[in-house]
């Protein structure tokens, strides 16, 4: 019974007793130790994260009991192999691409190996932000470099979607946004993705590209003087800076005149009189606006064809005359005047131009120039007036 127990112990310890016959003496041979076999690790391949403690990776094997473990090449920084148990533990301190490490399990009877694949990924980037996360740029003007910052692991590459406005670019290695915009772009979101071996993170950058604002706005005719009822020559604007998208005017233009909101051209036929006044025209694009003050006057059509009912009147001293009224073509007369002064007792109404009164002195035939005036100008007519004495009467 003692021998059987000893044999069982030797077998459980990986020792085998071999018995044989020879030399006629009938002696026994020395015990042989069985080498380890079928060494394996789980997980294999093993993928770890830099800075994060790994779960112990324990070996299994068949055959004889392993007395020591070794590994080649050296494990990634922060990881260690127990030479007695073969367990791999630790916290990786460096990033390592997938690599093969050969673990050897040995005892007095021999050894066996296992190829273990280990990858150490970086910590994924996080909290990606840009210095200017809502950026407004101007077409044709170089932008200030817009740089990103992030938490987590170091970023290996950057990408953006959709494509940035023409003239702008994103560095795939630094993530810095640079360039000179060459096209206008309405406000839009661009998603930047920062990636390393541990994963990726994103941020949205809003970019707008405006035009250069208009400047030095002027009009071909300023101040402008127009005539009521007469179509004006189109009055066109010019400006520097970026192209104008729209025009507006304040206050409203005189009746019959209009401003084209696309071209800024002033046109039309004035239908009302307007004293000289300032009108502010504003030219606008995506970059901003500029203004000019346009002075406009609308005068009436000048009077014309002035005539009197009695152009060559002969009056009698001491006798009230019949009212002598004017007519005219053209615009409405605002005022009338006469030169030289009329014979005493006669008068000209400055508003209506009517000649009335009772002559008090004699006057030989003479010419009197009546002038009819409005905002558009004036016209004249000549009245030839004679004042005779009353004829003798009741001669006895």
């Amino acid at each position: 019974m003692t021998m059987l127990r000893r044999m069982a112990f030797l077998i459980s310890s990986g020792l085998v007793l071999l018995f044989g016959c020879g030399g006629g003496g009938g002696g026994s041979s020395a015990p042989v130790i069985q080498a380890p076999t079928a060494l394996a690790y789980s997980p294999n391949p093993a993928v770890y994260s830099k800075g994060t403690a790994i779960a112990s990776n324990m070996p299994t094997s068949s055959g004889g009991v392993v007395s020591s473990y070794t590994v080649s090449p050296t494990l990634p920084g922060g990881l260690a192999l127990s030479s007695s148990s073969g367990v791999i533990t630790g916290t990786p301190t460096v990033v390592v691409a997938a690599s093969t490490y050969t673990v050897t399990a040995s005892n007095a009877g021999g050894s066996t190996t296992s190829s273990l694949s280990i990858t150490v990924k970086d910590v994924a980037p996080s909290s990606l932000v840009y210095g200017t996360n809502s950026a407004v740029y101007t077409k044709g003007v170089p932008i200030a470099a817009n740089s990103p910052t992030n938490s987590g692991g170091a970023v290996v590459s950057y990408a953006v979607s959709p494509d940035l406005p023409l003239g702008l670019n994103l560095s795939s290695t630094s993530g810095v946004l640079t360039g000179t915009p060459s096209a206008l772009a309405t406000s839009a979101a661009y998603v930047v993705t920062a990636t390393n071996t541990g994963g990726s993170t994103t941020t949205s950058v809003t970019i707008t590209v405006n035009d250069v604002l208009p400047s030095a706005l002027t009009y071909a005719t300023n101040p402008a003087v127009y005539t009521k009822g007469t179509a004006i020559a189109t009055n066109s604007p010019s400006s520097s800076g970026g192209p104008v998208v729209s025009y507006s005017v304040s206050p409203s233009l005189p009746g019959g005149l209009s401003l084209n909101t696309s071209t800024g051209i002033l046109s039309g036929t004035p239908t009302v009189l307007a004293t000289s006044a300032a009108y502010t025209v504003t030219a606008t694009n995506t970059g901003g606006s500029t203004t000019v003050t346009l002075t406009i006057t609308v005068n009436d059509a000048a009077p014309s064809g002035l005539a009197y009912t009695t152009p060559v009147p002969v009056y009698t001293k001491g006798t009230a005359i019949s009212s002598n009224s004017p007519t005219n073509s053209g615009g409405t007369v605002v005022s009338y005047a006469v030169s030289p002064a009329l014979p005493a007792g006669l008068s000209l109404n400055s508003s209506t131009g009517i000649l009335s009164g009772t002559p008090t002195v004699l006057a030989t035939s003479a010419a009197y120039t009546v002038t009819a005036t409005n905002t558009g100008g004036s016209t004249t007519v000549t009245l030839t007036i004679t004042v005779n004495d009353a004829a003798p009467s009741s001669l006895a």
Side-chain angles (χ1 to χ4, degrees):
M1 182 63 81
T2 302
M3 180 60 72
L4 290 174
R5 289 177 178 172
R6 184 178 180 190
M7 289 176 64
F9 170 76
L10 292 174
I11 290 172
S12 66
S13 300
L15 303 176
V16 179
L17 300 179
L18 300 177
F19 299 91
C21 300
S28 63
S29 63
V32 176
I33 298 174
Q34 185 179 7
T37 60
L39 179 64
Y41 277 84
S42 181
N44 187 14
V47 179
Y48 304 129
S49 292
K50 176 184 174 184
T52 301
I54 72 171
S56 296
N57 197 350
M58 306 178 73
T60 60
S61 65
S62 301
V65 175
V66 178
S67 59
S68 65
Y69 294 85
T70 59
V71 64
S72 178
T74 303
L75 292 174
L79 297 183
L81 177 85
S82 170
S83 61
S84 57
S85 67
V87 177
I88 297 174
T89 58
T91 300
T93 59
V94 293
V95 175
V96 176
S99 301
T100 301
Y101 299 85
T102 301
V103 179
T104 302
S106 304
N107 65 14
S111 63
T112 187
T113 62
S114 176
S115 293
L116 175 59
S117 175
I118 296 177
T119 301
V120 180
K121 293 182 177 181
D122 205 348
V123 178
S126 61
S127 303
L128 180 65
V129 295
Y130 272 80
T132 305
N133 239 41
S134 183
V136 178
Y137 302 128
T138 300
K139 177 184 174 185
V141 178
I143 72 171
N146 196 359
S147 301
T149 59
N150 72 282
S151 303
V155 177
V156 173
S157 65
Y158 293 84
V160 63
S161 179
D163 291 339
L164 293 172
L166 291 176
L168 298 182
N169 60 78
L170 183 87
S171 169
S172 61
T173 54
S174 68
V176 176
L177 185 65
T178 57
T180 301
S182 58
L184 302 182
T186 56
S187 180
Y190 299 84
V191 177
V192 178
T193 302
T195 304
N196 67 14
T197 56
S200 63
T201 188
T202 63
T203 189
S204 181
V205 179
T206 301
I207 297 176
T208 304
V209 180
N210 290 332
D211 209 341
V212 178
L213 62 83
S215 60
L217 179 63
T218 60
Y219 270 83
T221 304
N222 190 13
V225 178
Y226 303 128
T227 299
K228 176 185 173 184
T230 301
I232 72 170
T234 54
N235 198 356
S236 300
S238 62
S239 64
S240 302
V244 177
V245 173
S246 65
Y247 293 84
S248 62
V249 62
S250 179
S252 297
L253 294 171
L257 297 183
S258 63
L259 182 86
N260 186 301
T261 58
S262 299
T263 64
I265 293 175
L266 184 68
S267 61
T269 300
T271 58
V272 294
L273 302 180
T275 57
S276 179
Y279 299 84
T280 300
V281 178
T282 301
T284 304
N285 66 15
T286 57
S289 62
T290 188
T291 63
V292 65
T293 297
L294 180 59
T295 301
I296 297 175
T297 303
V298 179
N299 291 331
D300 206 347
S304 61
L306 182 62
Y308 272 83
T309 306
T310 306
V312 185
V314 177
Y315 302 129
T316 300
K317 176 184 173 184
T319 301
I321 71 171
S322 297
S323 296
N324 197 357
S325 300
T327 59
N328 78 284
S329 305
T332 303
V333 177
V334 173
S335 65
Y336 293 84
V338 64
S339 179
L342 293 171
L346 299 181
S347 64
L348 183 84
N349 187 300
S350 62
S351 299
T352 64
I354 295 174
L355 184 68
S356 61
T358 301
T360 59
V361 293
L362 302 179
T364 57
S365 178
Y368 298 86
T369 301
V370 177
T371 302
T373 304
N374 66 14
T375 56
S378 62
T379 188
T380 63
V381 68
T382 299
L383 283 177
T384 301
I385 299 174
T386 303
V387 179
N388 293 329
D389 207 347
S393 64
S394 301
L395 179 65

